[in-house]
Amino acid sequence: MSFLYPSFLFGLFAVAIPIAIHLFNFRRTRKVYFTNVAFLKEVKTSTNSFRRLKQWLILATRILFITFLVLAFAQPFIQSPKQQSLSSQGNTGIYLDNSLSMQNETGKRQYLQLATDEADELLGALPKTPSIQLLTNDFESRDQYLATPDKLKDRLTEINFSPTSRTLESIYKRQNNLLSRNSPSTQNQFIWFSDFQKSTVGDLNKLKIDTNSRIFLVPVQTEETANLYVDSVWLATPFVKEMETNTLNVRLVNTGKDAVKNLPVKLFLDEKQVSSSSVNLDANNSVVAAFDFLVKERGLKKGRISFEDFPVTFDNDFYFVLNASPTINIVHMFGGATGNYIQNLFSNETIFQARSLNAQNVDPTLLNTADLAILDGVTDLSGSLPTSLEAFVKKGGSLIIFPGPANNSTIYGSLLSRLGVPSPQNTTSPDKTFEAIDAPDTRNPFFESIFENTTQKERMAMPAANPVWQWTGRGSSLLRLKTGTPFLSRFDVQRGKVYLCASPLTDNFSTFQKHALFVPILYKIAALSKSQERLSFSFQEPSIAVEINEAGKEPVFHLKRDNLELIPSQRISGKQLLFDIPENSQTGSKQLAEAGYYELTLNGKVQKILAFNYDKKESQPDSYSPTELKQIFGRYKNVQIFSALNEGEFVNEFKSESQGKNFWKYCLIAALFFLLAEILIIRFVKG
C-alpha cells in the first residue's frame, strides 16, 4: 500500500493524546457508605470491571478515529499492476485538442465540450499546487506557465475551436520543453484529450517518448464518424465570360458509412444565390456537381458553395473568387505580306486586348504586360527582341510562331534552342501540293469544350496545308497532317509555352485560317496563355502565388479583412507575387484564422480578392481507435491508453488505472464510524 500524501502520516502521533488522557486520568471519586459491607464488595468488584471495559472501548474508538482520520488525509491506495501511480511531486501537462474536427458529437454533445468537462473534473482530483500546465492548439503565451487547478478551471470556460491543427509530436515537444524548463529534475506526466484524427496527428510510429515521462491518452470519439465537405471547385472553361452561361464544377466528398440523398447545394455570387443543385452521395465516395450561372458584368466575384451538414459545420461553406472576363493582352508581331486573320480574330471579343505591330518597330517592353505573343510571318529577329521573347516565355508567357513563305527557319534557331524547343527544318514543296490535316484527337485535354461531341468531329471536313516547316522531338501535337508529320505542336518551357505551326497563314499555303477550327483553337491558346488564377487557397499552404500587374518599384502589398491588416513576407517574380501567410512568432500558427475573403492591397487600393478555406484534413474525421493506439504505443510501458471517453467515467477510470485503488473515502467513513461509536458508548453504556 502506498500513500498519495505520506507527510500526513506524522499526524499519527496524535494517538498519544487519548492514551495520555486514559493513563493519567486522576479524577476524584466520591465515597458512598452502605450498611451491608459484603454486598458492597460484590457490587464494587462488578462495577469496576465494567467501568474499565468501557474506558478501554472509549480509548480504542478514539485511537481508531484519529488513525483513520490521518489515513484519510494521507490517501492510501494500492498500486495499479498496469502503471506506476500518478506522481504527486512532478508536473502535469494537460493537452486539450480544440481543432475544428472536435465539433463532432457523441451523445448529442460536442467532443470539445465533453473533453472540457472531463478536464474540469480531472483538475479537481489533482493536487492543489501550481504544478499543472494546460495546452491547446493555439499555443498561447500563457501556456508556458504552471498554474493551480482553480485558475485552469476558469480558463477552461474560455476555450473555443481553433483552425490550427497540431501533430502529437509538436504537442509533446512543446509540453516537454515547458515542463522540463520549470522542473528539470522531476518526473512529469502528460494527459492528452483528443479525437486523434489520422489526417492531422502525424506519423505516430515516429513519435519518440522519453521513458521518464508518463503519458495518458484519452480518445474523445464515437463509433460513427461522418462528414460532408467540398474537396475542390473548378471552371469548365478557362475563364468566366460575361452575359454567357458558365459552368462551375464542385467535387463533394461523403466520409460517412451511409449514403446521402438529395442534398441541397447552393451557389452564391456576391452573396446572391445564382444556382442550386440536388446531390446524391454514396457512402465513402465523392461526386462532381455542375452549376450553371450567368454574370452580367466583368470583375471579381465572391463565390460561395453552401450546404447544411451536422454536427461538423465549419466546412459547410467553401469560398472562392471568380474573375469575370479577365483581359488577355496579346502582342501580334507581323512581317512581310500577311493576311488580316489575326487582327480580325481577336477584335471580335472584348476580353482580348490585341495590338498588331510590325516586328521591326515593336517595343520589346510591351511583352512585360502581355499574355500571348504571336510572330506572324516575321522574317527577321533583331535587336533585343529575341532576348525579350526568351524572358517572356520563361516567366509564363505563350508564344505562337507562324512561318513566312520564305522558308526562314534559321532566324528562329537561336531563340528556340535557348528555350529547349527543336528547331524546324525547311520543307517547301515546289509544286505547292496541299496535304490534308488529320482530325484532332478529342481525348486531348486541349480540345475539351471545343467539340460538343465526337460525331460532329467525325463529320467535319478538315483543312489542308502546304507545310514549309517540319520538326521532331518532344512536344504535344495538337494537329497532324495525314502523313503523320506535325502541323501544330505545343512545347512547355518552364512556366510558359511555345506553339509551332508548319504553314504560313496565307491562302497560298493553308486553308487552316479559313476553317471553323481556326477560331476556337486560337481562342483556346489565348485563354491558356492567361495565367490560370487560383479560385481559392488554404491556410496550410507554405506560400501563395498570384498574378499582378505592374506594381512599380519596391511595392509593399497588404492583406486586409475588416480590422485585420497584415504585411506578409513577399517577392515578385515576373508577373507573379509570391508571399507567405504571416505566422505568430511565438506559436507558429497562421495569423489568418477565419475562412473567407481577404483583400490584397497596394497603396490602399485593392488589387486582388483572395479566398481562403480551412485545411481539408480537418474535414476527414477518421480517427485512431483505442485499439489502434494500443498497438502503436505498445512498445512504451509508460504510455497508457484509456477507452473512448464517455461522460462521467474517465476520472474514476483514470484514478483506478493510474493511481490504483484509493481508500481515503473508506478511511473517512471508518473515522466517522468510530467517532459515532465513542458517542454511543459514552451515552448509552452505563458504568
Side-chain angles (χ1 to χ4, degrees), residues 546-572:
V546 295
E547 183 181 353
I548 59 172
N549 298 321
E550 286 292 318
K553 294 183 178 180
E554 299 182 356
V556 179
F557 288 87
H558 295 234
L559 275 176
K560 184 178 180 182
R561 177 176 180 175
D562 299 330
N563 296 325
L564 176 66
E565 187 168 359
L566 304 171
I567 301 178
S569 58
Q570 54 195 267
R571 64 184 179 90
I572 295 177

PDB file of all heavy atoms in Angstrom, residues 546-572:
ATOM      1  N   VAL A 546       0.126  34.732 -56.814  1.00  0.00           N
ATOM      2  CA  VAL A 546      -0.968  35.381 -57.537  1.00  0.00           C
ATOM      3  C   VAL A 546      -0.378  36.257 -58.635  1.00  0.00           C
ATOM      4  O   VAL A 546       0.729  36.790 -58.512  1.00  0.00           O
ATOM      5  CB  VAL A 546      -1.850  36.229 -56.595  1.00  0.00           C
ATOM      6  CG1 VAL A 546      -2.553  35.362 -55.582  1.00  0.00           C
ATOM      7  CG2 VAL A 546      -1.031  37.299 -55.901  1.00  0.00           C
ATOM      8  N   GLU A 547      -1.128  36.413 -59.724  1.00  0.00           N
ATOM      9  CA  GLU A 547      -0.686  37.244 -60.835  1.00  0.00           C
ATOM     10  C   GLU A 547      -1.005  38.701 -60.540  1.00  0.00           C
ATOM     11  O   GLU A 547      -2.086  39.032 -60.036  1.00  0.00           O
ATOM     12  CB  GLU A 547      -1.381  36.813 -62.119  1.00  0.00           C
ATOM     13  CG  GLU A 547      -0.923  37.579 -63.353  1.00  0.00           C
ATOM     14  CD  GLU A 547      -1.650  37.148 -64.606  1.00  0.00           C
ATOM     15  OE1 GLU A 547      -2.404  36.170 -64.534  1.00  0.00           O
ATOM     16  OE2 GLU A 547      -1.471  37.799 -65.648  1.00  0.00           O
ATOM     17  N   ILE A 548      -0.059  39.579 -60.854  1.00  0.00           N
ATOM     18  CA  ILE A 548      -0.259  41.005 -60.614  1.00  0.00           C
ATOM     19  C   ILE A 548       0.118  41.784 -61.866  1.00  0.00           C
ATOM     20  O   ILE A 548       0.808  41.282 -62.759  1.00  0.00           O
ATOM     21  CB  ILE A 548       0.600  41.500 -59.430  1.00  0.00           C
ATOM     22  CG1 ILE A 548       2.092  41.231 -59.717  1.00  0.00           C
ATOM     23  CG2 ILE A 548       0.167  40.855 -58.132  1.00  0.00           C
ATOM     24  CD1 ILE A 548       3.030  41.861 -58.710  1.00  0.00           C
ATOM     25  N   ASN A 549      -0.347  43.008 -61.927  1.00  0.00           N
ATOM     26  CA  ASN A 549       0.067  43.917 -62.981  1.00  0.00           C
ATOM     27  C   ASN A 549       1.337  44.640 -62.547  1.00  0.00           C
ATOM     28  O   ASN A 549       1.919  44.340 -61.512  1.00  0.00           O
ATOM     29  CB  ASN A 549      -1.055  44.917 -63.284  1.00  0.00           C
ATOM     30  CG  ASN A 549      -2.308  44.225 -63.796  1.00  0.00           C
ATOM     31  OD1 ASN A 549      -2.224  43.275 -64.565  1.00  0.00           O
ATOM     32  ND2 ASN A 549      -3.463  44.702 -63.355  1.00  0.00           N
ATOM     33  N   GLU A 550       1.757  45.589 -63.344  1.00  0.00           N
ATOM     34  CA  GLU A 550       2.945  46.356 -62.978  1.00  0.00           C
ATOM     35  C   GLU A 550       2.730  47.012 -61.620  1.00  0.00           C
ATOM     36  O   GLU A 550       1.751  47.736 -61.398  1.00  0.00           O
ATOM     37  CB  GLU A 550       3.223  47.425 -64.036  1.00  0.00           C
ATOM     38  CG  GLU A 550       3.803  46.856 -65.325  1.00  0.00           C
ATOM     39  CD  GLU A 550       5.207  46.309 -65.121  1.00  0.00           C
ATOM     40  OE1 GLU A 550       6.006  46.954 -64.428  1.00  0.00           O
ATOM     41  OE2 GLU A 550       5.494  45.226 -65.641  1.00  0.00           O
ATOM     42  N   ALA A 551       3.638  46.733 -60.681  1.00  0.00           N
ATOM     43  CA  ALA A 551       3.459  47.217 -59.315  1.00  0.00           C
ATOM     44  C   ALA A 551       4.394  48.364 -58.958  1.00  0.00           C
ATOM     45  O   ALA A 551       4.332  48.881 -57.851  1.00  0.00           O
ATOM     46  CB  ALA A 551       3.677  46.069 -58.333  1.00  0.00           C
ATOM     47  N   GLY A 552       5.247  48.769 -59.869  1.00  0.00           N
ATOM     48  CA  GLY A 552       6.180  49.841 -59.564  1.00  0.00           C
ATOM     49  C   GLY A 552       7.400  49.328 -58.824  1.00  0.00           C
ATOM     50  O   GLY A 552       7.625  48.126 -58.698  1.00  0.00           O
ATOM     51  N   LYS A 553       8.186  50.250 -58.324  1.00  0.00           N
ATOM     52  CA  LYS A 553       9.419  49.894 -57.640  1.00  0.00           C
ATOM     53  C   LYS A 553       9.151  49.649 -56.159  1.00  0.00           C
ATOM     54  O   LYS A 553       8.465  50.418 -55.494  1.00  0.00           O
ATOM     55  CB  LYS A 553      10.460  51.008 -57.799  1.00  0.00           C
ATOM     56  CG  LYS A 553      10.928  51.192 -59.241  1.00  0.00           C
ATOM     57  CD  LYS A 553      12.012  52.264 -59.315  1.00  0.00           C
ATOM     58  CE  LYS A 553      12.525  52.433 -60.753  1.00  0.00           C
ATOM     59  NZ  LYS A 553      13.573  53.471 -60.840  1.00  0.00           N
ATOM     60  N   GLU A 554       9.730  48.557 -55.678  1.00  0.00           N
ATOM     61  CA  GLU A 554       9.663  48.175 -54.270  1.00  0.00           C
ATOM     62  C   GLU A 554       8.249  48.278 -53.713  1.00  0.00           C
ATOM     63  O   GLU A 554       7.973  48.989 -52.736  1.00  0.00           O
ATOM     64  CB  GLU A 554      10.616  49.034 -53.437  1.00  0.00           C
ATOM     65  CG  GLU A 554      12.076  48.877 -53.845  1.00  0.00           C
ATOM     66  CD  GLU A 554      13.004  49.706 -52.978  1.00  0.00           C
ATOM     67  OE1 GLU A 554      12.490  50.452 -52.113  1.00  0.00           O
ATOM     68  OE2 GLU A 554      14.219  49.599 -53.160  1.00  0.00           O
ATOM     69  N   PRO A 555       7.314  47.568 -54.307  1.00  0.00           N
ATOM     70  CA  PRO A 555       5.939  47.619 -53.805  1.00  0.00           C
ATOM     71  C   PRO A 555       5.803  46.826 -52.502  1.00  0.00           C
ATOM     72  O   PRO A 555       6.535  45.865 -52.260  1.00  0.00           O
ATOM     73  CB  PRO A 555       5.132  46.973 -54.934  1.00  0.00           C
ATOM     74  CG  PRO A 555       6.095  46.017 -55.563  1.00  0.00           C
ATOM     75  CD  PRO A 555       7.462  46.666 -55.461  1.00  0.00           C
ATOM     76  N   VAL A 556       4.863  47.220 -51.675  1.00  0.00           N
ATOM     77  CA  VAL A 556       4.558  46.518 -50.430  1.00  0.00           C
ATOM     78  C   VAL A 556       3.063  46.208 -50.428  1.00  0.00           C
ATOM     79  O   VAL A 556       2.232  47.107 -50.321  1.00  0.00           O
ATOM     80  CB  VAL A 556       4.936  47.350 -49.185  1.00  0.00           C
ATOM     81  CG1 VAL A 556       4.564  46.578 -47.912  1.00  0.00           C
ATOM     82  CG2 VAL A 556       6.413  47.684 -49.198  1.00  0.00           C
ATOM     83  N   PHE A 557       2.744  44.928 -50.566  1.00  0.00           N
ATOM     84  CA  PHE A 557       1.357  44.501 -50.594  1.00  0.00           C
ATOM     85  C   PHE A 557       0.888  44.174 -49.179  1.00  0.00           C
ATOM     86  O   PHE A 557       1.642  43.670 -48.353  1.00  0.00           O
ATOM     87  CB  PHE A 557       1.193  43.270 -51.492  1.00  0.00           C
ATOM     88  CG  PHE A 557       1.330  43.578 -52.963  1.00  0.00           C
ATOM     89  CD1 PHE A 557       2.577  43.582 -53.577  1.00  0.00           C
ATOM     90  CD2 PHE A 557       0.211  43.869 -53.725  1.00  0.00           C
ATOM     91  CE1 PHE A 557       2.704  43.859 -54.925  1.00  0.00           C
ATOM     92  CE2 PHE A 557       0.325  44.142 -55.079  1.00  0.00           C
ATOM     93  CZ  PHE A 557       1.575  44.144 -55.681  1.00  0.00           C
ATOM     94  N   HIS A 558      -0.390  44.433 -48.920  1.00  0.00           N
ATOM     95  CA  HIS A 558      -1.004  44.163 -47.626  1.00  0.00           C
ATOM     96  C   HIS A 558      -2.148  43.165 -47.807  1.00  0.00           C
ATOM     97  O   HIS A 558      -2.798  43.138 -48.857  1.00  0.00           O
ATOM     98  CB  HIS A 558      -1.559  45.449 -47.001  1.00  0.00           C
ATOM     99  CG  HIS A 558      -0.507  46.457 -46.656  1.00  0.00           C
ATOM    100  ND1 HIS A 558      -0.372  46.997 -45.394  1.00  0.00           N
ATOM    101  CD2 HIS A 558       0.471  47.038 -47.401  1.00  0.00           C
ATOM    102  CE1 HIS A 558       0.623  47.860 -45.380  1.00  0.00           C
ATOM    103  NE2 HIS A 558       1.151  47.901 -46.602  1.00  0.00           N
ATOM    104  N   LEU A 559      -2.390  42.386 -46.769  1.00  0.00           N
ATOM    105  CA  LEU A 559      -3.580  41.527 -46.702  1.00  0.00           C
ATOM    106  C   LEU A 559      -4.520  42.139 -45.679  1.00  0.00           C
ATOM    107  O   LEU A 559      -4.120  42.418 -44.545  1.00  0.00           O
ATOM    108  CB  LEU A 559      -3.209  40.103 -46.280  1.00  0.00           C
ATOM    109  CG  LEU A 559      -2.750  39.143 -47.373  1.00  0.00           C
ATOM    110  CD1 LEU A 559      -2.328  37.824 -46.762  1.00  0.00           C
ATOM    111  CD2 LEU A 559      -3.831  38.912 -48.413  1.00  0.00           C
ATOM    112  N   LYS A 560      -5.783  42.303 -46.088  1.00  0.00           N
ATOM    113  CA  LYS A 560      -6.710  43.028 -45.229  1.00  0.00           C
ATOM    114  C   LYS A 560      -8.057  42.339 -45.198  1.00  0.00           C
ATOM    115  O   LYS A 560      -8.552  41.866 -46.217  1.00  0.00           O
ATOM    116  CB  LYS A 560      -6.872  44.464 -45.735  1.00  0.00           C
ATOM    117  CG  LYS A 560      -7.751  45.353 -44.868  1.00  0.00           C
ATOM    118  CD  LYS A 560      -7.811  46.761 -45.416  1.00  0.00           C
ATOM    119  CE  LYS A 560      -8.691  47.646 -44.547  1.00  0.00           C
ATOM    120  NZ  LYS A 560      -8.788  49.021 -45.103  1.00  0.00           N
ATOM    121  N   ARG A 561      -8.625  42.279 -43.994  1.00  0.00           N
ATOM    122  CA  ARG A 561     -10.004  41.831 -43.815  1.00  0.00           C
ATOM    123  C   ARG A 561     -10.571  42.495 -42.575  1.00  0.00           C
ATOM    124  O   ARG A 561     -10.035  42.336 -41.481  1.00  0.00           O
ATOM    125  CB  ARG A 561     -10.100  40.317 -43.666  1.00  0.00           C
ATOM    126  CG  ARG A 561     -11.542  39.872 -43.416  1.00  0.00           C
ATOM    127  CD  ARG A 561     -11.697  38.388 -43.347  1.00  0.00           C
ATOM    128  NE  ARG A 561     -13.088  38.029 -43.119  1.00  0.00           N
ATOM    129  CZ  ARG A 561     -13.543  36.786 -43.106  1.00  0.00           C
ATOM    130  NH1 ARG A 561     -12.702  35.788 -43.318  1.00  0.00           N
ATOM    131  NH2 ARG A 561     -14.810  36.537 -42.894  1.00  0.00           N
ATOM    132  N   ASP A 562     -11.631  43.266 -42.757  1.00  0.00           N
ATOM    133  CA  ASP A 562     -12.243  44.021 -41.669  1.00  0.00           C
ATOM    134  C   ASP A 562     -11.177  44.862 -40.974  1.00  0.00           C
ATOM    135  O   ASP A 562     -10.526  45.680 -41.602  1.00  0.00           O
ATOM    136  CB  ASP A 562     -12.944  43.064 -40.697  1.00  0.00           C
ATOM    137  CG  ASP A 562     -14.059  42.271 -41.384  1.00  0.00           C
ATOM    138  OD1 ASP A 562     -14.655  42.812 -42.334  1.00  0.00           O
ATOM    139  OD2 ASP A 562     -14.321  41.127 -40.986  1.00  0.00           O
ATOM    140  N   ASN A 563     -10.966  44.628 -39.679  1.00  0.00           N
ATOM    141  CA  ASN A 563      -9.986  45.415 -38.924  1.00  0.00           C
ATOM    142  C   ASN A 563      -8.603  44.777 -38.903  1.00  0.00           C
ATOM    143  O   ASN A 563      -7.685  45.318 -38.289  1.00  0.00           O
ATOM    144  CB  ASN A 563     -10.474  45.618 -37.491  1.00  0.00           C
ATOM    145  CG  ASN A 563     -11.756  46.433 -37.430  1.00  0.00           C
ATOM    146  OD1 ASN A 563     -11.954  47.347 -38.239  1.00  0.00           O
ATOM    147  ND2 ASN A 563     -12.628  46.120 -36.483  1.00  0.00           N
ATOM    148  N   LEU A 564      -8.464  43.624 -39.563  1.00  0.00           N
ATOM    149  CA  LEU A 564      -7.175  42.929 -39.591  1.00  0.00           C
ATOM    150  C   LEU A 564      -6.399  43.333 -40.835  1.00  0.00           C
ATOM    151  O   LEU A 564      -6.916  43.271 -41.956  1.00  0.00           O
ATOM    152  CB  LEU A 564      -7.393  41.416 -39.599  1.00  0.00           C
ATOM    153  CG  LEU A 564      -6.145  40.544 -39.730  1.00  0.00           C
ATOM    154  CD1 LEU A 564      -5.246  40.688 -38.505  1.00  0.00           C
ATOM    155  CD2 LEU A 564      -6.520  39.090 -39.949  1.00  0.00           C
ATOM    156  N   GLU A 565      -5.165  43.759 -40.652  1.00  0.00           N
ATOM    157  CA  GLU A 565      -4.310  44.131 -41.785  1.00  0.00           C
ATOM    158  C   GLU A 565      -2.892  43.638 -41.503  1.00  0.00           C
ATOM    159  O   GLU A 565      -2.308  43.956 -40.467  1.00  0.00           O
ATOM    160  CB  GLU A 565      -4.315  45.638 -42.018  1.00  0.00           C
ATOM    161  CG  GLU A 565      -3.573  46.057 -43.278  1.00  0.00           C
ATOM    162  CD  GLU A 565      -3.820  47.503 -43.661  1.00  0.00           C
ATOM    163  OE1 GLU A 565      -4.592  48.176 -42.956  1.00  0.00           O
ATOM    164  OE2 GLU A 565      -3.232  47.961 -44.661  1.00  0.00           O
ATOM    165  N   LEU A 566      -2.343  42.849 -42.427  1.00  0.00           N
ATOM    166  CA  LEU A 566      -1.034  42.237 -42.251  1.00  0.00           C
ATOM    167  C   LEU A 566      -0.153  42.532 -43.446  1.00  0.00           C
ATOM    168  O   LEU A 566      -0.645  42.746 -44.566  1.00  0.00           O
ATOM    169  CB  LEU A 566      -1.180  40.722 -42.079  1.00  0.00           C
ATOM    170  CG  LEU A 566      -2.082  40.231 -40.947  1.00  0.00           C
ATOM    171  CD1 LEU A 566      -2.296  38.730 -41.066  1.00  0.00           C
ATOM    172  CD2 LEU A 566      -1.490  40.572 -39.593  1.00  0.00           C
ATOM    173  N   ILE A 567       1.146  42.534 -43.212  1.00  0.00           N
ATOM    174  CA  ILE A 567       2.124  42.682 -44.292  1.00  0.00           C
ATOM    175  C   ILE A 567       2.889  41.366 -44.381  1.00  0.00           C
ATOM    176  O   ILE A 567       3.752  41.079 -43.542  1.00  0.00           O
ATOM    177  CB  ILE A 567       3.096  43.847 -44.034  1.00  0.00           C
ATOM    178  CG1 ILE A 567       2.323  45.159 -43.883  1.00  0.00           C
ATOM    179  CG2 ILE A 567       4.099  43.952 -45.180  1.00  0.00           C
ATOM    180  CD1 ILE A 567       3.198  46.352 -43.569  1.00  0.00           C
ATOM    181  N   PRO A 568       2.595  40.522 -45.363  1.00  0.00           N
ATOM    182  CA  PRO A 568       3.298  39.234 -45.469  1.00  0.00           C
ATOM    183  C   PRO A 568       4.680  39.411 -46.073  1.00  0.00           C
ATOM    184  O   PRO A 568       4.961  40.395 -46.770  1.00  0.00           O
ATOM    185  CB  PRO A 568       2.390  38.424 -46.401  1.00  0.00           C
ATOM    186  CG  PRO A 568       1.731  39.459 -47.260  1.00  0.00           C
ATOM    187  CD  PRO A 568       1.569  40.689 -46.414  1.00  0.00           C
ATOM    188  N   SER A 569       5.570  38.458 -45.803  1.00  0.00           N
ATOM    189  CA  SER A 569       6.857  38.441 -46.498  1.00  0.00           C
ATOM    190  C   SER A 569       6.585  38.123 -47.965  1.00  0.00           C
ATOM    191  O   SER A 569       5.820  37.213 -48.274  1.00  0.00           O
ATOM    192  CB  SER A 569       7.777  37.397 -45.873  1.00  0.00           C
ATOM    193  OG  SER A 569       7.189  36.112 -45.919  1.00  0.00           O
ATOM    194  N   GLN A 570       7.197  38.849 -48.880  1.00  0.00           N
ATOM    195  CA  GLN A 570       6.789  38.791 -50.280  1.00  0.00           C
ATOM    196  C   GLN A 570       7.959  39.053 -51.212  1.00  0.00           C
ATOM    197  O   GLN A 570       8.968  39.662 -50.836  1.00  0.00           O
ATOM    198  CB  GLN A 570       5.696  39.829 -50.533  1.00  0.00           C
ATOM    199  CG  GLN A 570       6.097  41.236 -50.116  1.00  0.00           C
ATOM    200  CD  GLN A 570       4.910  42.178 -50.036  1.00  0.00           C
ATOM    201  OE1 GLN A 570       4.602  42.860 -50.996  1.00  0.00           O
ATOM    202  NE2 GLN A 570       4.243  42.216 -48.865  1.00  0.00           N
ATOM    203  N   ARG A 571       7.801  38.561 -52.440  1.00  0.00           N
ATOM    204  CA  ARG A 571       8.746  38.848 -53.508  1.00  0.00           C
ATOM    205  C   ARG A 571       8.014  38.725 -54.836  1.00  0.00           C
ATOM    206  O   ARG A 571       6.987  38.054 -54.945  1.00  0.00           O
ATOM    207  CB  ARG A 571       9.943  37.898 -53.465  1.00  0.00           C
ATOM    208  CG  ARG A 571       9.602  36.440 -53.705  1.00  0.00           C
ATOM    209  CD  ARG A 571      10.829  35.558 -53.538  1.00  0.00           C
ATOM    210  NE  ARG A 571      10.523  34.150 -53.738  1.00  0.00           N
ATOM    211  CZ  ARG A 571      10.579  33.537 -54.907  1.00  0.00           C
ATOM    212  NH1 ARG A 571      10.947  34.226 -56.002  1.00  0.00           N
ATOM    213  NH2 ARG A 571      10.285  32.253 -55.024  1.00  0.00           N
ATOM    214  N   ILE A 572       8.540  39.404 -55.851  1.00  0.00           N
ATOM    215  CA  ILE A 572       7.911  39.421 -57.170  1.00  0.00           C
ATOM    216  C   ILE A 572       8.806  38.688 -58.150  1.00  0.00           C
ATOM    217  O   ILE A 572      10.018  38.931 -58.228  1.00  0.00           O
ATOM    218  CB  ILE A 572       7.664  40.868 -57.640  1.00  0.00           C
ATOM    219  CG1 ILE A 572       6.645  41.543 -56.720  1.00  0.00           C
ATOM    220  CG2 ILE A 572       7.162  40.891 -59.078  1.00  0.00           C
ATOM    221  CD1 ILE A 572       6.378  42.992 -57.057  1.00  0.00           C
TER     222      ILE A 572
END
